[in-house]
Amino acid sequence: MSSHDSAPSRPHRTRHAGVACALVGALALMNAPFDARQAHAAKPAPPLNPSAPMDDVATSATATWDRVVVLPDGRFIAQAPAWTGIKQGGLVIFAPGQHPVPYPDAASNDPATPAAQRLIAPADLQLQADGTLWVLDSGIAADGTRAQPKVMRIDTRTAQVTATWDVDAASLRPDSHLSTMRVGNGHAYIGDEGVPALIVADLDGHGQRRLMEHNPALTAGRPILGPDARVMKNASGHTAIINISQMAISPDGKWLYFEPLSGPIYKLGTDVLIDPKVTPIELEDSPTLWYKSPPYGGIAVGADGTLYLNDVSTSSIFRLTPKRIYQRIVTDPRLHWPAGSYVTPDGMMYVPAAQLDRTPALNGGQMQVSWPVHVYRINVAALPEAKF
């Protein structure tokens, strides 16, 4: 991964080019055995009753926020995705009750700014304890125009971009669409949804590798079921196929959790990804099927390692504790497509109800979002211990 001050544009391509081939492959996988490596059995616990209370803490009448993080001073940083087909800006910051403004500044979101110096299409956010915000920019605008994908590091204490890395051309494919990322141990782990693979980049400038291309753990193997078990349709009216789209990293940086949007969720040690001595064959067999999950719109990790999993098909949030106890903590119709969440160090969880199933990319080309979009807060630190 390399830094530079300018970037060539890439040719226009539709995000889901070749969807017919992808669908054939997905249907074949649906008829095959689910996975030879069975998931470690989680212990189901009775759902919380009553459900965890939710506070409505932010709304937007113009953007379908699908990722949020919250700074120590209470301000929100929110991301509006370009892949939905809506021209709705990129990254914004706001305090509760205040109007969002571009983040880190207006120039970084201004189409007049050279592509190498601005955010084209933020795809994922990660806020670390030291105030560092990592932003993955897919480089693919809402109209399909392509620019150089990149990783941006922002110091949220000063709102300054401290470094930008381009994703090298050798790590990409013509139909690549970078969708999710986590950073840990000096490396960026980037998911390519367009041509399923993981890109592992050494942020100290020691190169990057494209790994596990078309691995079943990264590849959609079934349709995406949204609310009321409706199968998601892309803008052309075909069954939507979205490969790896969600990712989380354990607090110690040792484990990645990831899934295609349709599920299921897998676990993989970061040590095998950063060790060049691990062979491609060994990597192919490394992911562990962690839970045979429904479609998750977001995966968040608490300070204790608990996973919080947002089920878009039932408007629910589950937790999977380090002791492998799986429990539904809330079901609420207001959680319409719960998306990329954030858990603060003191245990407050923020969840955008993004309504992505009502956007053109997942709704057969139709825009039917019921404004406003809401962000909810749940005090997960105050929940009773999960027991079965």
Side-chain angles (χ1 to χ4, degrees):
M1 194 171 264
S2 57
S3 300
H4 66 45
D5 296 325
S6 63
S9 61
R10 296 181 62 85
H12 172 89
R13 284 183 180 266
T14 303
R15 182 184 184 214
H16 292 296
V19 68
C21 293
L23 180 56
V24 170
L27 293 175
L29 282 170
M30 290 173 64
N31 294 323
F34 192 85
D35 198 297
R37 301 176 303 279
Q38 293 299 311
H40 293 274
K43 306 169 186 176
L48 281 186
N49 189 14
S51 289
M54 302 194 314
D55 298 318
D56 190 344
V57 293
T59 61
S60 173
T62 59
T64 55
W65 295 328
D66 75 332
R67 300 281 196 273
V68 296
V69 297
V70 181
L71 301 178
D73 63 8
R75 290 180 299 164
F76 292 76
I77 298 174
Q79 167 190 295
W83 64 263
T84 57
I86 309 168
K87 295 182 179 180
Q88 55 183 353
L91 214 56
V92 296
I93 189 169
F94 60 94
Q98 295 185 359
H99 185 73
V101 296
Y103 189 81
D105 53 37
S108 297
N109 292 267
D110 186 347
T113 302
Q117 301 168 24
R118 66 181 171 94
L119 290 164
I120 306 295
D124 209 351
L125 306 176
Q126 180 187 358
L127 180 63
Q128 295 181 320
D130 65 356
T132 298
L133 179 69
W134 296 94
V135 183
L136 174 66
D137 183 356
S138 75
I140 305 177
D143 63 1
T145 303
R146 286 179 176 254
Q148 175 70 47
K150 55 186 175 290
V151 174
M152 185 176 289
R153 186 180 68 196
I154 302 172
D155 184 343
T156 60
R157 296 166 297 185
T158 61
Q160 296 295 313
V161 177
T162 57
T164 300
W165 294 264
D166 288 343
V167 179
D168 294 342
S171 293
L172 300 170
R173 299 291 180 263
D175 289 327
S176 285
H177 189 118
L178 307 187
S179 58
T180 185
M181 177 185 71
R182 284 298 179 263
V183 175
N185 302 320
H187 291 77
Y189 309 96
I190 303 169
D192 185 346
E193 183 279 318
V195 182
L198 287 177
I199 298 169
V200 179
D202 187 325
L203 297 175
D204 290 328
H206 301 303
Q208 64 185 265
R209 297 184 298 156
R210 183 180 179 89
L211 305 173
M212 300 168 56
E213 187 164 294
H214 294 294
N215 186 286
L218 308 173
T219 305
R222 57 192 182 190
I224 304 161
L225 297 181
D228 302 320
R230 182 169 62 91
V231 175
M232 298 295 96
K233 303 290 185 180
N234 66 17
S236 300
H238 302 293
T239 300
I241 301 297
I242 298 183
N243 300 304
I244 178 171
S245 66
Q246 308 294 336
M247 189 182 291
I249 192 168
S250 62
D252 59 10
K254 293 182 178 180
W255 300 100
L256 278 182
Y257 303 91
F258 53 87
E259 63 147 17
L261 184 50
S262 59
I265 186 170
Y266 286 82
K267 179 181 179 180
L268 178 62
T270 56
D271 57 341
V272 302
L273 293 172
I274 63 179
D275 184 354
K277 296 179 182 178
V278 176
T279 68
I281 293 177
E282 290 172 323
L283 277 171
E284 284 296 307
D285 291 335
S286 293
T288 297
L289 178 58
W290 200 236
Y291 195 77
K292 293 183 179 180
S293 59
Y296 290 144
I299 306 171
V301 182
D304 66 347
T306 295
L307 293 176
Y308 295 93
L309 310 165
N310 301 342
D311 180 356
V312 302
S313 64
T314 63
S315 299
S316 301
I317 299 174
F318 292 79
R319 62 178 170 181
L320 182 58
T321 72
K323 296 180 179 179
R324 296 202 49 73
I325 299 176
Y326 185 75
Q327 182 181 46
R328 189 178 69 203
I329 63 172
V330 59
T331 295
D332 193 307
R334 293 177 294 170
L335 287 173
H336 195 103
W337 201 282
S341 304
Y342 175 72
V343 181
T344 64
D346 61 352
M348 303 300 291
M349 182 179 181
Y350 293 84
V351 188
Q355 299 187 50
L356 296 184
D357 62 305
R358 295 170 172 168
T359 65
L362 294 177
N363 193 36
Q366 301 298 309
M367 177 62 175
Q368 296 179 325
V369 170
S370 178
W371 303 105
V373 165
H374 296 261
V375 178
Y376 297 100
R377 180 179 62 204
I378 301 171
N379 186 353
V380 295
L383 299 180
E385 181 182 358
K387 297 180 179 179
F388 58 92

